[in-house]
């Protein structure tokens, strides 16, 4: 049975998908030749690109995925709030989550973007398309370095890589796929162009935004494209694996503006990767790797890229993937050959939820990424 893998977006929550890949990379369902397509939108497109570019590595890109998140994207939080109880400010553990949110929003992420303060004045809002709140030059450099180009034509033994974007003017989804054209940093940047925060990307005279800025599911478009490219027959059985870090449930009541906004955005994304209603023409086995919510989700949201939070998300993702694979009865593949150790990445394959606290401490001591 052929396998299709789809990563949902979610900013920093994409670390959950990175952890899930640590388990998926050890499954026979994602072996080269079996994985026929890997797709994603927003930060999920970057995760998909890691898989496509490194699937033939001895460890199927598990180390590359860790290096992307813990070596390039992890950004220590600045101390906007301290640990002391102040009547009008968060304190204790909650302060850490607010520090992560404010660092991501007001300062930026060392691998993705930096706040463009000149464009934060009210008058600049009239020209927000040309003056987004963040400057993405660091992301463009990262994409050029890590994902220069990927093409699966004519070698269809490689998985098709697909990046989902939204056509700003037409209001429709656009699927860029590597069977039709090489997927370059341009298409990946288009898929992750969050409105207001980032600049849109122009391709062939059309403007594109983040692939998650739509109520439409990308699954029907992806399945139709695979059939049109000859990768799937109309009635062929297929295993669909979706990695979904956007949790439907909420673990704590939203109170602040940030928490309410996060809740509203999340509700627009949940279940977008559920199977198309009434699509009985395809025999699809659906394995959903879904994330359970945490009480601090509304604060940390999609902007908190602190190393300790990313480690926790990766541990959670691996655990969720292992449970989903076991429930689906998917047999594991022989253990991949380990990649050489990297000082910039932390291997979460042997980390249990019980040891998260000590692991987070190790991450803070060993990663020490450069300030944005």
């Amino acid at each position: 049975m052929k396998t299709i893998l789809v990563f949902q977006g979610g900013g920093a929550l994409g670390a959950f998908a990175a952890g899930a890949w640590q388990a998926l990379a050890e499954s026979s369902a994602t072996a080269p030749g079996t994985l026929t397509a890997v797709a994603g939108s927003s930060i999920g497109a970057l995760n998909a690109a890691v898989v496509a570019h490194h699937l033939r590595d001895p460890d199927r890109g598990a180390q590359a995925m860790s290096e992307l998140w813990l070596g390039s994207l992890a950004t220590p939080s600045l101390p906007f709030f301290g640990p002391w109880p102040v009547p009008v400010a968060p304190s204790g553990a909650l302060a850490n989550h607010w520090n992560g949110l404010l660092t991501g929003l007001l300062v930026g992420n060392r691998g993705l973007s930096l706040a463009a303060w000149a464009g934060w004045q009210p008058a600049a809002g009239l020209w927000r398309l040309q003056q987004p709140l963040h400057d993405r030059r660091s992301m463009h450099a990262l994409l050029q370095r890590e994902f220069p180009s990927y093409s699966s034509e004519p070698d269809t033994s490689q998985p098709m890589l697909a990046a989902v974007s939204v056509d700003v003017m037409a209001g429709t989804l656009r699927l860029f796929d590597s069977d039709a054209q090489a997927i370059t940093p341009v298409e990946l940047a288009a898929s992750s162009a969050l409105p207001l925060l980032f600049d849109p990307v122009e391709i062939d005279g059309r403007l594109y935004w983040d692939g998650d800025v739509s109520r439409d599911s990308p699954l029907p478009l992806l399945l139709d494209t695979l059939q049109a490219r000859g990768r799937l027959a109309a009635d062929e059985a297929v295993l669909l694996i979706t990695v979904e870090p956007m949790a439907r449930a909420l673990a704590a009541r939203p109170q602040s503006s940030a928490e309410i906004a996060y809740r509203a955005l999340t509700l627009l994304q949940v279940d977008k990767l559920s199977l198309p209603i009434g699509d009985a023409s395809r025999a699809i086995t659906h394995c959903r790797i879904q994330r359970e919510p945490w009480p601090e989700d509304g604060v940390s949201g999609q902007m908190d890229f602190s190393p300790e939070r990313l480690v926790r998300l990766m541990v959670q993702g691996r655990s969720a993937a292992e449970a989903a694979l076991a429930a689906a009865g998917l047999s594991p593949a022989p253990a991949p050959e380990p990649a050489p150790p990297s000082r910039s990445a932390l291997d979460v394959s042997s980390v249990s939820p019980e040891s998260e606290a000590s692991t987070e401490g190790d991450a803070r001591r060993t990663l020490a990424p450069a300030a944005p």
Side-chain angles (χ1 to χ4, degrees):
M1 185 182 295
K2 293 178 180 176
T3 300
I4 302 169
L5 175 62
V6 183
F7 291 105
Q8 189 179 46
L13 294 175
F16 171 86
W21 180 245
Q22 306 298 313
L24 290 171
E26 299 170 3
S27 169
S28 57
T30 61
T34 300
L35 183 63
T36 192
V38 55
S41 57
S42 195
I43 199 72
L46 272 65
N47 283 336
V50 173
V51 174
H53 278 264
H54 295 277
L55 187 63
R56 296 188 182 278
D57 290 0
D59 67 348
R60 299 187 195 166
Q63 184 74 10
M65 187 74 83
S66 291
E67 288 179 350
L68 172 68
W69 280 91
L70 301 178
S72 297
L73 302 184
T75 303
S77 301
L78 298 180
F80 288 92
F81 297 114
W84 308 279
V86 180
V88 295
S91 62
L94 189 59
N96 294 332
H97 304 305
W98 277 102
N99 286 339
L101 168 65
L102 294 176
T103 298
L105 181 62
L106 302 180
V107 179
N109 178 285
R110 66 195 183 100
L112 298 178
S113 66
L114 295 177
W117 282 99
W120 285 57
Q121 56 175 309
L126 297 173
W127 305 97
R128 188 59 67 207
L129 189 72
Q130 293 82 11
Q131 297 186 44
L133 297 176
H134 277 218
D135 183 333
R136 283 208 293 173
R137 280 179 290 184
S138 55
M139 179 191 290
H140 296 314
L142 173 68
L143 296 178
Q144 289 285 353
R145 182 176 71 251
E146 300 293 337
F147 316 112
S149 180
Y150 179 89
S151 177
S152 50
E153 177 65 24
D155 183 9
T156 54
S157 65
Q158 299 185 81
M160 184 183 83
L161 171 61
V164 183
S165 294
V166 172
D167 187 312
V168 175
M169 302 305 294
T172 56
L173 289 180
R174 168 74 185 273
L175 188 77
F176 296 99
D177 72 271
S178 62
D179 279 4
Q181 65 184 63
I183 299 298
T184 70
V186 175
E187 289 75 28
L188 297 177
S191 183
S192 55
L194 191 65
L196 299 180
L197 200 65
F198 300 147
D199 52 323
V201 174
E202 183 173 338
I203 301 175
D204 297 330
R206 308 290 299 182
L207 285 180
Y208 292 96
W209 269 340
D210 190 301
D212 279 340
V213 188
S214 171
R215 65 180 181 180
D216 297 326
S217 170
L219 291 183
L221 182 58
L222 175 61
L223 293 171
D224 289 343
T225 300
L226 288 169
Q227 186 174 334
R229 301 288 184 255
R231 285 184 176 267
L232 287 180
D235 57 350
E236 185 174 5
V238 63
L239 171 63
L240 172 65
I241 301 176
T242 55
V243 186
E244 307 171 44
M246 298 283 200
R248 171 177 288 279
L250 200 64
R253 178 182 296 184
Q255 181 66 35
S256 64
S257 298
E259 292 166 292
I260 293 171
Y262 171 81
R263 181 57 173 162
L265 290 173
T266 300
L267 288 175
L268 293 174
Q269 301 300 323
V270 294
D271 290 337
K272 283 176 64 174
L273 296 183
S274 58
L275 285 176
I277 298 175
D279 191 355
S281 62
R282 297 184 176 94
I284 300 176
T285 299
H286 193 183
C287 176
R288 299 182 72 177
I289 302 173
Q290 297 175 292
R291 180 176 170 270
E292 293 296 322
W294 292 336
E296 67 271 16
D297 279 355
V299 176
S300 286
Q302 302 183 32
M303 301 297 294
D304 181 0
F305 283 81
S306 58
E308 56 270 22
R309 182 173 184 244
L310 297 190
V311 170
R312 289 185 64 216
L313 285 166
M314 292 178 71
V315 171
Q316 186 190 34
R318 181 180 180 94
S319 177
E322 289 174 343
L325 290 172
L330 299 176
S331 60
E337 180 182 333
S342 170
R343 289 181 299 173
S344 64
L346 175 67
D347 181 11
V348 301
S349 61
S350 60
V351 178
S352 64
E354 292 76 12
S355 63
E356 277 185 39
S358 61
T359 304
E360 292 169 16
D362 292 341
R364 287 192 294 270
R365 290 190 295 270
T366 60
L367 285 174

